[in-house]
Amino acid sequence: QVQLVESGGGLVQAGESLRLSCAASGRTFSSYAIGWFRQAPGKERDFLTSISWNGGTTYYSDSVKGRFIISRDNAENTVYLQMNSLKPEDTAVYYCALTRWGTRTSANWYDYWGQGTQVTVSS
């Protein structure tokens, strides 16, 4: 089994930054690509960004490109999401997930999910 735990969420004002962490256990972390998704109330779960097993390839959705940065530390089994210039529309529950199929934008490709961490951005 794989367990993922997101942390670092909270309440911030528009324009501020947060750094989310996703700690993994139970499997060889470096063998997976990792994605970040978010889901606002009443909305679908949307892809944000992903990173390959060795960190050499990243992919960003248009909604976060230029503001968010994904990175990973395989030695610590942890992936990070640096979120800058936050906007009220970024308010959502943020999830990390693992896939064995490289960087993918669809949630259907991801095998394991954390429980999420709440990010709330006030105007």
Side-chain angles (χ1 to χ4, degrees):
Q1 301 184 59
V2 173
Q3 298 183 59
L4 301 173
V5 180
E6 300 95 337
S7 62
L11 174 64
V12 298
Q13 293 183 314
E16 295 182 343
S17 299
L18 280 175
R19 186 177 177 87
L20 305 183
S21 298
C22 174
S25 63
R27 292 285 185 89
T28 302
F29 184 71
S30 61
S31 66
Y32 292 88
I34 306 170
W36 282 97
F37 295 76
R38 69 186 179 191
Q39 187 168 24
K43 302 294 183 65
E44 298 294 321
R45 187 167 297 187
D46 292 330
F47 170 82
L48 298 177
T49 179
S50 61
I51 188 167
S52 61
W53 69 272
N54 64 353
T57 303
T58 58
Y59 188 87
Y60 294 90
S61 68
D62 290 340
S63 63
V64 303
K65 190 173 184 178
R67 296 191 299 126
F68 291 9
I69 302 171
I70 188 171
S71 62
R72 67 187 296 168
D73 185 341
N74 289 342
E76 298 295 331
N77 288 345
T78 302
V79 63
Y80 303 96
L81 182 65
Q82 178 66 44
M83 305 186 295
N84 300 315
S85 301
L86 285 163
K87 306 173 182 179
E89 52 262 44
D90 294 321
T91 296
V93 177
Y94 284 69
Y95 300 89
C96 64
L98 306 185
T99 178
R100 291 171 289 180
W101 302 102
T103 53
R104 303 282 182 170
T105 62
S106 172
N108 294 332
W109 287 100
Y110 288 80
D111 301 309
Y112 303 102
W113 296 81
Q115 293 301 303
T117 184
Q118 177 71 47
V119 173
T120 302
V121 184
S122 63
S123 60

